[in-house]
């Protein structure tokens, strides 16, 4: 191989793996402070573990694949998306088709005796465990350690005497009971639990919808950090006891107060190498999903206070605050959003709505990502039923996403969409009809119920070489544009107010589709997608 060919290949790989800073979101103010949220993306139900100087976060992923994102940080403010722990969801026959709102619910990540563990619930099957020695490498296959419909939010505790326990909650939609926290014994290797379950807290009277526990031990107390009051409107409760089986006393430690941060709860208590304590939690923000905040945490009489103390030992969320003292300063990092598609691997920001198949799409050696016009499934009344949606989370409150694509339609009826997906959706549709190409905006006001799409007036386009743009403004208001030269953009259709999906935020991305089956299909070659503040 010639030297220039070798260098070209190395550059190709490097560009594919390089992560650029987001141009639309950064929590680090570069003056020793940060501003919440630390992630303005839908990393729902976050949990974090510290091992040495490294923090690893995971989050719910529901029906999106790959699942269980793994994010890394050294200072709790600057985060990179580095892996997924779940390449496919099990059982495969279930998750080979979209399962909106099902799949991976609130997980828990822990480190014990040289291994990282994630415990995650599937509300229809039970509690799974996976593990690894390298969180940025391969994880083990899911092991169902506690079967049961409606079991959710597992959290382990390895005690000082070597014994192990698992706390969890119930999903009322499956178990027909809820607002209770449970504890059972677990084998120290986390491969099975015992049938000695005990209810340690009943929240029906004082803390309805208590769920999402996280198990800790400090100063001889067993602690269960648990959110109550509902995803968008609740607060953070902490329970403590000198006995793992209880009884537990309880106290509210974080609430919205007079701030704009609603439902501040469900997350992780972590510390720093310098001895500080911090709490990572989410805020439900409608179409934007559940975005991630970081709160300082102190202790008083062996009770935590999270956020800014209101004077009653109950905290409220902070907006801007000095960064955690981790002993040194780290560079700016953000999860990826823009993608030049120059690498030989798919960017980590991209997920599908079901277990993926190779024939849906893949990177190409000429610097594109290619999607193929797959047949519409027989039962698909809307995009809600389509598995081959190639999507990523929204990265900020306001942004412009511009993409350059090349559409090769082999037959009439083939089309692609540049898409905003949720319970409602809209996409800029480019399609072939009467051997010509046209563009229009398609919107659906209720995808879950199979509402028919409404189409704007079609406009003719000269070729499949196109530049498309979506502008997202405050509140998730979206406007779609098209250009044939990358300079002059024309508005397509009216503005569209996005809506979240089922337990996930709205997403942005692509699909390519056709009616009927042939022995070949048209394709969409994506050159780039760039997120800016324009």
């Amino acid at each position: 191989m010639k030297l220039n060919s070798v260098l070209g290949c190395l550059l190709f790989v490097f560009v594919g793996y390089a992560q650029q800073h987001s141009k639309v979101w950064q929590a680090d103010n570069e003056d020793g402070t940060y501003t919440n949220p630390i992630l303005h993306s839908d990393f729902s139900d976050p949990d974090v573990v510290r091992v040495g100087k490294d923090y690893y976060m995971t989050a719910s992923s529901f029906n999106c694949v790959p699942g269980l994102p793994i994010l890394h940080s050294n200072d709790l403010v600057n985060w990179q998306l580095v892996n997924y722990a779940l390449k496919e969801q099990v059982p495969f026959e279930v998750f080979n088709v979209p399962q909106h709102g099902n799949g991976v619910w609130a997980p828990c990540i822990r480190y014990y005796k040289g291994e990282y563990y994630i415990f995650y619930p599937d509300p229809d099957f039970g509690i799974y465990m996976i593990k690894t020695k390298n969180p940025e490498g391969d994880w083990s296959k899911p092991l169902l350690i506690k079967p049961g419909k409606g079991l959710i939010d597992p959290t382990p505790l390895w005690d000082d005497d070597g014994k192990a326990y698992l706390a969890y909650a119930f999903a009322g939609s499956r178990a027909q009971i809820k607002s209770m926290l449970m504890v059972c014994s677990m084998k120290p290797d986390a491969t099975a639990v015992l049938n000695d379950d005990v209810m340690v807290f009943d929240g029906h009277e004082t803390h309805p919808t208590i769920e999402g526990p996280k198990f800790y031990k400090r100063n001889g107390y067993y602690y269960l950090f648990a959110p109550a009051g509902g995803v968008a409107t609740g607060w953070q409760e902490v329970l403590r006891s000198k006995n793992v089986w209880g009884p537990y006393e309880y106290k509210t430690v974080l609430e919205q107060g007079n701030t704009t941060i609603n439902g501040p709860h469900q997350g992780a208590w972590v510390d720093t190498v310098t001895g500080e304590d911090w709490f990572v939690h989410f805020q439900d923000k409608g179409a934007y999903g559940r975005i991630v905040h970081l709160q300082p945490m102190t202790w008083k009489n062996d009770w935590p206070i999270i956020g800014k103390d209101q004077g009653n030992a109950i905290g409220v969320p902070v907006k801007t605050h000095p960064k955690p003292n981790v002993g040194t300063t780290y560079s700016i990092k953000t999860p990826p959003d823009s993608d030049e598609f120059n690498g030989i691997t798919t960017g980590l920001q991209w997920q599908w709505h079901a277990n993926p198949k190779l024939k849906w799409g893949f990177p190409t050696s000429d610097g594109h990502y290619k999607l193929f016009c797959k047949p519409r499934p027989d039962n698909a009344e809307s995009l809600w039923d389509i598995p081959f949606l190639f999507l990523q989370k929204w990265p900020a409150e306001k942004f412009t996403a511009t993409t350059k694509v090349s559409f090769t339609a082999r037959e009439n009826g083939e089309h692609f969409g540049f898409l905003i997906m949720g319970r409602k959706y809209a996409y800029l549709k480019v399609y072939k009809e009467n051997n010509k190409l046209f563009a229009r905006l398609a919107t659906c006001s209720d995808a879950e119920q199979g509402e028919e799409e409404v189409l704007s007036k079609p406009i003719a386009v000269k070729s499949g070489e196109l530049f498309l743009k979506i502008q997202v403004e405050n509140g998730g208001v979206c406007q779609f544009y098209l250009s044939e030269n990358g300079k002059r953009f024309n508005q397509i259709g009216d503005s569209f107010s996005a809506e979240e999906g089922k337990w996930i935020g709205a997403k942005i991305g692509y699909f390519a589709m056709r009616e009927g089956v042939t022995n070949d299909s048209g394709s969409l070659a994506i050159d780039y997608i760039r997120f800016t503040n324009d």
Side-chain angles (χ1 to χ4, degrees):
M1 183 180 289
K2 294 181 180 179
L3 178 60
N4 60 350
S5 297
V6 174
L7 292 175
C9 289
L10 290 174
L11 179 62
F12 182 71
V13 173
F14 173 77
V15 172
Y17 277 97
Q19 288 195 8
Q20 302 297 322
H21 301 155
S22 174
K23 294 182 179 180
V24 295
W25 188 260
Q26 178 180 311
D28 194 325
N29 297 321
E30 300 184 84
D31 61 0
T33 69
Y34 71 95
T35 297
N36 274 314
I38 54 171
L39 294 169
H40 202 295
S41 286
D42 182 38
F43 291 103
S44 176
D45 309 317
D47 194 36
V48 181
V49 66
R50 179 178 71 84
V51 179
K53 296 181 179 180
D54 296 296
Y55 295 93
Y56 286 99
M57 178 193 297
T58 192
S60 301
S61 48
F62 299 98
N63 65 291
C64 300
V65 184
L68 286 172
I70 304 295
L71 296 96
H72 173 263
S73 178
N74 288 116
D75 61 7
L76 292 171
V77 172
N78 293 285
W79 291 91
Q80 282 183 299
L81 180 61
V82 296
N83 196 13
Y84 289 93
L86 204 60
K87 306 305 181 187
E88 292 182 292
Q89 289 211 61
V90 296
F92 299 130
E93 66 273 15
V94 174
F95 290 100
N96 286 340
V97 296
Q99 298 287 338
H100 295 275
N102 302 335
V104 177
W105 285 24
C108 181
I109 185 169
R110 291 292 180 264
Y111 181 79
Y112 180 67
K113 289 189 175 181
E115 292 186 297
Y116 294 83
Y117 290 79
I118 292 179
F119 296 77
Y120 76 88
D122 183 314
D124 294 308
F125 296 98
I127 293 169
Y128 291 90
M129 182 276 291
I130 59 175
K131 64 180 182 176
T132 185
K133 291 185 177 180
N134 176 15
E136 299 186 33
D138 292 331
W139 289 71
S140 64
K141 294 180 180 179
L143 177 65
L144 185 61
I145 64 170
K146 190 171 181 62
K149 195 175 181 71
L151 307 182
I152 59 170
D153 305 344
T155 175
L157 176 74
W158 285 273
D159 210 344
D160 306 326
D161 59 5
K163 294 181 180 179
Y165 305 92
L166 188 75
Y168 62 94
F170 293 108
S173 60
R174 273 77 163 181
Q176 289 77 55
I177 56 174
K178 65 174 187 176
S179 299
M180 292 176 286
L181 302 182
M182 306 290 293
V183 171
C184 66
S185 298
M186 181 177 71
K187 292 181 64 175
D189 64 2
T191 58
V193 297
L194 305 182
N195 294 320
D196 57 357
D197 308 63
V198 172
M199 183 187 73
V200 297
F201 187 73
D202 185 343
H204 283 91
E205 296 300 323
T206 56
H207 297 289
T209 318
I210 195 163
E211 57 186 357
K214 296 293 184 289
F215 224 159
Y216 306 103
K217 191 176 184 182
R218 175 187 182 272
N219 285 357
Y221 280 104
Y222 297 91
Y223 288 93
L224 285 166
F225 284 48
V231 168
T233 56
W235 56 91
Q236 181 66 36
E237 202 67 14
V238 168
L239 293 71
R240 74 178 187 185
S241 175
K242 290 286 188 176
N243 189 314
V244 70
W245 302 106
Y248 283 81
E249 52 185 334
Y250 55 92
K251 185 180 186 301
T252 301
V253 298
L254 175 68
E255 61 186 11
Q256 179 175 349
N258 60 3
T259 74
T260 59
I261 310 304
N262 58 292
H265 61 222
Q266 183 135 343
W269 162 33
V270 289
D271 62 5
T272 69
V273 294
T274 63
E276 293 181 347
D277 293 296
W278 294 82
F279 186 71
V280 177
H281 69 95
F282 74 75
Q283 173 197 6
D284 187 300
K285 198 172 177 180
Y288 296 90
R290 301 177 192 178
I291 61 177
V292 184
H293 290 244
L294 175 66
Q295 303 299 334
M297 180 171 141
T298 57
W299 292 88
K300 184 176 181 180
N301 299 325
D302 284 321
W303 287 108
I305 302 171
I306 299 174
K308 181 181 179 181
D309 190 350
Q310 302 174 93
N312 58 357
I314 301 175
V316 294
V318 301
K319 183 63 176 177
T320 298
H321 194 273
K323 291 168 57 179
N325 178 7
V326 293
T328 187
T329 300
Y330 291 92
S331 60
I332 304 298
K333 292 182 175 65
T334 60
D337 44 44
S338 297
D339 199 338
E340 297 296 319
F341 298 105
N342 287 331
I344 57 174
T345 58
T346 305
L348 288 174
Q349 62 266 58
W350 299 103
Q351 295 173 293
W352 304 92
H353 263 194
N355 287 333
K357 293 180 172 57
L358 176 64
K359 59 187 178 182
W360 292 352
F362 36 73
T364 66
S365 59
D366 63 352
H368 294 82
Y369 197 92
K370 182 161 284 193
L371 297 176
F372 294 90
C373 296
K374 304 310 299 177
R376 179 191 296 271
D378 292 338
N379 64 342
E381 296 183 354
S382 72
L383 294 186
W384 193 258
D385 305 307
I386 302 299
F388 45 84
L389 304 181
F390 186 60
L391 306 172
Q392 65 166 289
K393 305 174 190 297
W394 284 12
E397 185 164 29
K398 295 175 60 178
F399 60 88
T400 297
T402 305
T403 186
K404 180 183 178 183
V405 300
S406 178
F407 180 48
T408 302
R410 297 188 180 279
E411 295 187 10
N412 291 323
E414 292 185 327
H415 62 280
F416 79 90
F418 189 33
L419 169 68
I420 296 292
M421 184 65 193
R423 289 181 186 268
K424 296 165 56 179
Y425 66 75
Y427 63 95
L428 206 166
K429 178 178 182 178
V430 178
Y431 60 100
K432 186 175 184 179
E433 184 177 274
N434 296 325
N435 294 318
K436 297 180 180 179
L437 291 179
F438 299 89
R440 63 204 310 181
L441 185 68
T443 59
C444 179
S445 62
D446 192 342
E448 188 172 10
Q449 299 303 317
E451 189 75 21
E452 289 188 7
E453 294 179 357
V454 176
L455 301 174
S456 69
K457 182 180 178 180
I459 62 169
V461 294
K462 296 177 182 178
S463 77
E465 301 284 336
L466 297 168
F467 299 82
L468 312 176
K469 182 165 67 175
I470 301 175
Q471 286 185 335
V472 177
E473 298 295 330
N474 291 340
V477 178
C478 308
Q479 186 64 65
F480 293 75
Y481 300 86
L482 180 146
S483 172
E484 297 194 65
N485 59 15
K487 298 177 181 179
R488 181 166 177 255
F489 283 84
N490 296 313
Q491 179 177 318
I492 306 297
D494 298 326
S495 62
F496 168 78
S497 294
E499 190 174 283
E500 65 273 17
K502 195 165 186 178
W503 305 124
I504 64 174
K507 303 184 83 170
I508 184 171
Y510 312 82
F511 72 93
M513 195 158 61
R514 57 170 290 118
E515 305 294 336
V517 178
T518 65
N519 66 353
D520 201 1
S521 62
S523 61
L524 175 71
I526 310 167
D527 190 351
Y528 61 75
I529 183 170
R530 296 169 182 167
F531 289 81
T532 63
N533 283 316
D534 301 343

